[in-house]
C-alpha cells in the first residue's frame, strides 16, 4: 500500500486532484457497468416474456386443449333426488330411463352384546389379548374379496387398533365406549353370492388362533350372528334389468348414482344437452388471453430505443433526484427487445397456425367456421374476434367437432393436428429459445447466452477495478514523492536561512 501525503508541503488538494484524474480513468469501467446493467434488463425482459407465453400455454392446456372442456353437459332429470347423472367421458348427448328397485348396501358385523374391553385407552395386553396379528378380508371396489393383515403390538390399545383397521383395511370399525360394543362395516357395498363380504380372524405369534374375536364378542364373518349381508343395487335401465355392486357406476361414459328406490313402473327419465355457455366461456377466455399476449409482445418488440439514455452510474445518480432517475431509466430500459427475432417469429407462427385448415374429419376445419376470425385492423397484429351467435351455434350443433378443431391429434400428418396443438408447439419453441438465451430464475449464468455475457462483463469489471487501484496507487506515489521533495527543499531552505542569519 502506498503511503499517501495529501498536500502538507505543497498546499495542493491532492485528494481532489487524484479524484479528478481517476474520474477520467474510470470512464471505460462505467461503460462496462452500463453494458452489464443493460444486459441484465434485457435478460429480465426476456424472462417476463417467457412467463407471458407460459401463461397462455397453461391456459390452453387446462382449457381448449382438454376434451372435458367440450363435453360439459346440462342434465335434465325427472327426479334428481332418486338418480344422479353426471357426464364423465361421453362426447355425444345421451338420454335414458332408470327404475331403481334396490339400493346397494354394505355388509357389517357387530358384537353380540358388550365386549371384554372396559377401557379403550388401556393396552390390549392388559385385557388378556396376546394376539400379534388380525386378518381382515372385505369386498373391494371390484366386488371381490381383498385381505389385509393388521399388526398388533404390545402398546396397542382398542383405540389404536381401531385406527389401524380404519386406515389399512377394507372395513370401517367403530367402538362405542358407553355400550362397550364394536362394529365392522365394509367400505364397499355389494353382495358376494358365494360367501361372506367380511371375514375376521386373529393369531398369536406362534400361528395359533388368538383370543381377540372372543374378547370382542364378534362372529368370524358377516354371515354369522350379528352379521348383515351386503346387497347389490338392482335396477331396470332402458328396459334391461341388471345389478351393480355399487350405487355409483358408469354406463357409456355417464356416471349414474342411485339415491332412492323408485315406484314400480315409474322410472326416472334423463337427457343431456351441451353446456353451451360453459364451453363458450372457455373458448372466449382463450381468445381474450391470446389477444392480451399479442398486445404485450407487439408493444415490447415495437418499443422505441433511446440510444442517448444509457444506464446511470452511481455517481450520476447522486447528482439526480429520484423522479429524474425514474424518468431517465424508463427511457433507458425501453427497446431492450426491439424487433427481437424470437418474439417476432412466435407471433408470426401463431397467426399462421390459427389461420390453418385442419383436416379433422369433423364439421369444422377452420376458426372462421365457428365464428372466430382476425380483426379487420391490421395494426392490431392479428388479434381475434368472436361472433358470439355463430360460435354458440357451432357448440350447440357439434361440440366434439369444435374440440377436434382445437385438439385433434394425428401421427400421420401435421395438417390433421388441432389449432391448439399447433399454437402450443409454437409457444414451446419460443420458450425454449428464450430459455437458451436468457435462462430462468433458477438458471446458473454459464448455462445460457446472456448469462455467459454477464460473466464476461463481471470478469472484465473485476480486472479493470484492480487496474484502477494500481493506477490510483501510482498517482498517489508520484504526488507523495513530490510532497517529499518539496518538504526536503523546504527543510534545506530553512536550514540555509538559519545559517546565514546566525
Amino acid at each position: 500500500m502506498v503511503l499517501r501525503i495529501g498536500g502538507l508541503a505543497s498546499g495542493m488538494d491532492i485528494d481532489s486532484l487524484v479524484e479528478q484524474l481517476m474520474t477520467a480513468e474510470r470512464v471505460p469501467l462505467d461503460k462496462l457497468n452500463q453494458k452489464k446493467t443493460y444486459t441484465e434488463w434485457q435478460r429480465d425482459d426476456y424472462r417476463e416474456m417467457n412467463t407471458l407465453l407460459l401463461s397462455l400455454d397453461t391456459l390452453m392446456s387446462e382449457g381448449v386443449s382438454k376434451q372435458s372442456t367440450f363435453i360439459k353437459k346440462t342434465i335434465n332429470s325427472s327426479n334428481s333426488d332418486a338418480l344422479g347423472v353426471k357426464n364423465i367421458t361421453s362426447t355425444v348427448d345421451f338420454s335414458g330411463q332408470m327404475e331403481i328397485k334396490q339400493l346397494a348396501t354394505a355388509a357389517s358385523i357387530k358384537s353380540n352384546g358388550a365386549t371384554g374391553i372396559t377401557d379403550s385407552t388401556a393396552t390390549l395386553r392388559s385385557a388378556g389379548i396376546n394376539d400379534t396379528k388380525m386378518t381382515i378380508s372385505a369386498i373391494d371396489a371390484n366386488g371381490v374379496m381383498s385381505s389385509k393383515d393388521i399388526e398388533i403390538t404390545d402398546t396397542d390399545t382398542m383405540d389404536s387398533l381401531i385406527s389401524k383397521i380404519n386406515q389399512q383395511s377394507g372395513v370401517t370399525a367403530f367402538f362405542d365406549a358407553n355400550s362397550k360394543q364394536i362394529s365392522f362395516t365394509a367400505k364397499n357395498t355389494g353382495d358376494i353370492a358365494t360367501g361372506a363380504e367380511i371375514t375376521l380372524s386373529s393369531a398369536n405369534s406362534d400361528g395359533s388362533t388368538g383370543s381377540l374375536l372372543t374378547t370382542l364378542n364378534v362372529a368370524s364373518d358377516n354371515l354369522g350372528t350379528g352379521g348383515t349381508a351386503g346387497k347389490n343395487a338392482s335396477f331396470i335401465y332402458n328396459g334391461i334389468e341388471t345389478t351393480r355392486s355399487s350405487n355409483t357406476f358408469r354406463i357409456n361414459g355417464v356416471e349414474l348414482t342411485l339415491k332412492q328406490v323408485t315406484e314400480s313402473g315409474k322410472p326416472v327419465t334423463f337427457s343431456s344437452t351441451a353446456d353451451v355457455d360453459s364451453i363458450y366461456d372457455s373458448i372466449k377466455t382463450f381468445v381474450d388471453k391470446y389477444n392480451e399476449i399479442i398486445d404485450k409482445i407487439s408493444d415490447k418488440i415495437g418499443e422505441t430505443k433511446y440510444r442517448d439514455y444509457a444506464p446511470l452510474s452511481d455517481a450520476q445518480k447522486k447528482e439526480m433526484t429520484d423522479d429524474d432517475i425514474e424518468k431517465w431509466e424508463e427511457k433507458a430500459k425501453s427497446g431492450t427487445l426491439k424487433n427481437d427475432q424470437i418474439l417476432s417469429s412466435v407471433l408470426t407462427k401463431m397467426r399462421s397456425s390459427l389461420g390453418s385448415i385442419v383436416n379433422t374429419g369433423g364439421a369444422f376445419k377452420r376458426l372462421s367456421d365457428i365464428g372466430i376470425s382476425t380483426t379487420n385492423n391490421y395494426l392490431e397484429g392479428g388479434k381475434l374476434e368472436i361472433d358470439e351467435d355463430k360460435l354458440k351455434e357451432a357448440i350447440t350443433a357439434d361440440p366434439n367437432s369444435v374440440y377436434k378443431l382445437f385438439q385433434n391429434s394425428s401421427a400421420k400428418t401435421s395438417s390433421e393436428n388441432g389449432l391448439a396443438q399447433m399454437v402450443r408447439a409454437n409457444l414451446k419453441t419460443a420458450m425454449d429459445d428464450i430459455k437458451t438465451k436468457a435462462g430462468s430464475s433458477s438458471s446458473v449464468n454459464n448455462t445460457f447466452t446472456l448469462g455467459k455475457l454477464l460473466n464476461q462483463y463481471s470478469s472484465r469489471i473485476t480486472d479493470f477495478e484492480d487496474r484502477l487501484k494500481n493506477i490510483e496507487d501510482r498517482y498517489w506515489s508520484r504526488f507523495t514523492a513530490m510532497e517529499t521533495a518539496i518538504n526536503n527543499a523546504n527543510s534545506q531552505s530553512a536550514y540555509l536561512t538559519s545559517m546565514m542569519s546566525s
Side-chain angles (χ1 to χ4, degrees):
M1 180 176 178
V2 177
L3 178 64
R4 297 180 176 182
I5 303 175
L8 294 175
S10 66
M12 299 169 62
D13 187 353
I14 305 300
D15 283 327
S16 179
L17 287 171
V18 172
E19 184 178 346
Q20 292 177 40
L21 289 168
M22 290 307 299
T23 297
E25 296 285 357
R26 193 176 292 276
V27 169
L29 178 62
D30 290 340
K31 291 187 178 298
L32 279 175
N33 277 312
Q34 287 172 338
K35 288 180 179 179
K36 182 183 177 185
T37 299
Y38 187 83
T39 302
E40 288 172 342
W41 290 345
Q42 192 176 49
R43 175 202 63 193
D44 294 343
D45 283 347
Y46 268 124
R47 290 178 180 179
E48 183 181 341
M49 291 295 103
N50 225 14
T51 300
L52 199 64
L53 296 177
L54 178 61
S55 68
L56 177 60
D57 182 68
T58 301
L59 180 85
M60 295 176 72
S61 71
E62 296 175 353
V64 294
S65 292
K66 291 180 70 174
Q67 189 172 42
S68 59
T69 298
F70 296 87
I71 62 174
K72 293 176 181 176
K73 304 290 184 183
T74 298
I75 308 296
N76 300 303
S77 173
S78 63
N79 188 352
S80 58
D81 291 333
L83 177 67
V85 183
K86 180 182 179 181
N87 185 41
I88 303 299
T89 60
S90 178
T91 60
V92 297
D93 287 333
F94 50 83
S95 62
Q97 56 181 9
M98 172 85 73
E99 182 178 326
I100 304 169
K101 302 180 69 177
Q102 175 178 280
L103 296 179
T105 58
S108 65
I109 307 174
K110 68 175 182 177
S111 55
N112 299 300
T115 66
I117 303 298
T118 57
D119 183 359
S120 63
T121 63
T123 63
L124 296 175
R125 300 289 185 253
S126 66
I129 300 173
N130 295 313
D131 307 32
T132 57
K133 180 178 70 173
M134 181 180 189
T135 301
I136 301 175
S137 295
I139 187 172
D140 65 14
N142 296 316
V144 297
M145 295 296 283
S146 178
S147 181
K148 179 66 180 180
D149 290 334
I150 309 294
E151 182 186 9
I152 304 175
T153 68
D154 291 342
T155 59
D156 270 327
T157 64
M158 191 73 255
D159 287 342
S160 66
L161 179 61
I162 292 290
S163 179
K164 285 183 179 181
I165 292 171
N166 292 340
Q167 292 178 26
Q168 300 176 26
S169 75
V171 303
T172 299
F174 167 66
F175 179 79
D176 182 34
N178 291 327
S179 64
K180 312 301 182 188
Q181 290 184 297
I182 192 169
S183 68
F184 300 88
T185 304
K187 292 179 180 178
N188 297 292
T189 57
D191 170 32
I192 293 181
T194 56
E197 291 80 39
I198 301 175
T199 63
L200 308 174
S201 64
S202 68
N204 295 313
S205 58
D206 60 3
S208 61
T209 301
S211 61
L212 179 64
L213 299 189
T214 301
T215 303
L216 295 181
N217 200 11
V218 293
S220 59
D221 61 53
N222 66 290
L223 300 181
T225 305
T228 302
K231 295 180 181 179
N232 288 332
S234 175
F235 55 91
I236 301 174
Y237 179 72
N238 289 349
I240 299 176
E241 185 168 352
T242 185
T243 61
R244 292 289 188 279
S245 62
S246 172
N247 289 315
T248 299
F249 49 88
R250 295 183 187 181
I251 296 178
N252 297 331
V254 180
E255 183 178 272
L256 301 171
T257 301
L258 311 186
K259 300 177 181 180
Q260 295 177 4
V261 173
T262 58
E263 189 176 342
S264 179
K266 294 185 178 181
V268 178
T269 59
F270 60 90
S271 62
S272 75
T273 56
D275 188 347
V276 176
D277 288 339
S278 179
I279 298 172
Y280 171 84
D281 287 344
S282 294
I283 296 174
K284 185 177 185 303
T285 298
F286 156 67
V287 170
D288 289 344
K289 187 66 175 180
Y290 175 81
N291 288 341
E292 176 193 338
I293 301 295
I294 293 290
D295 257 347
K296 291 185 176 180
I297 294 180
S298 296
D299 288 346
K300 199 64 183 175
I301 62 178
E303 275 184 345
T304 301
K305 188 176 181 65
Y306 299 95
R307 299 189 182 278
D308 294 334
Y309 288 80
L312 296 168
S313 66
D314 291 338
Q316 289 171 320
K317 288 181 179 179
K318 288 179 181 179
E319 298 175 359
M320 301 170 67
T321 65
D322 290 343
D323 187 50
D324 288 338
I325 293 173
E326 183 179 350
K327 289 178 179 178
W328 182 283
E329 291 195 338
E330 183 179 342
K331 289 184 180 299
K333 290 181 178 181
S334 178
T336 56
L337 302 181
K338 184 173 177 62
N339 297 326
D340 181 76
Q341 288 300 307
I342 298 175
L343 298 177
S344 298
S345 176
V346 73
L347 287 184
T348 300
K349 288 178 180 178
M350 286 195 298
R351 284 195 289 264
S352 176
S353 294
L354 290 176
S356 301
I357 295 175
V358 183
N359 299 315
T360 64
F364 312 116
K365 295 184 177 181
R366 55 176 68 83
L367 274 182
S368 58
D369 292 343
I370 62 172
I372 302 176
S373 58
T374 56
T375 61
N376 292 326
N377 185 354
Y378 76 95
L379 294 176
E380 291 186 323
K383 281 178 145 184
L384 300 177
E385 59 183 0
I386 297 175
D387 180 334
E388 182 175 343
D389 292 338
K390 188 173 181 179
L391 177 54
K392 287 187 174 180
E393 182 181 333
I395 294 170
T396 302
D398 194 347
N400 194 48
S401 286
V402 177
Y403 164 71
K404 285 185 176 181
L405 177 63
F406 281 102
Q407 193 57 23
N408 195 59
S409 182
S410 173
K412 296 180 181 179
T413 171
S414 59
S415 67
E416 294 181 7
N417 287 330
L419 301 178
Q421 275 203 339
M422 288 190 277
V423 170
R424 293 189 68 195
N426 301 152
L427 292 172
K428 185 179 186 306
T429 298
M431 288 189 290
D432 287 345
D433 289 345
I434 290 175
K435 190 172 182 181
T436 298
K437 189 162 188 175
S440 64
S441 59
S442 60
S443 298
V444 179
N445 273 358
N446 61 12
T447 61
F448 59 95
T449 305
L450 292 182
K452 293 175 183 177
L453 183 58
L454 287 170
N455 282 346
Q456 291 176 16
Y457 285 140
S458 295
S459 179
R460 290 172 62 187
I461 288 170
T462 299
D463 292 343
F464 206 93
E465 285 174 340
D466 290 341
R467 179 185 169 193
L468 287 178
K469 185 176 180 300
N470 292 332
I471 292 173
E472 186 177 8
D473 286 344
R474 187 166 67 249
Y475 280 134
W476 273 105
S477 178
R478 290 177 179 176
F479 279 113
T480 298
M482 180 191 74
E483 290 290 324
T484 301
I486 292 173
N487 188 54
N488 289 338
N490 289 339
S491 295
Q492 289 176 357
S493 175
Y495 176 74
L496 290 174
T497 301
S498 176
M499 288 293 294
M500 291 177 68
S501 64
S502 63

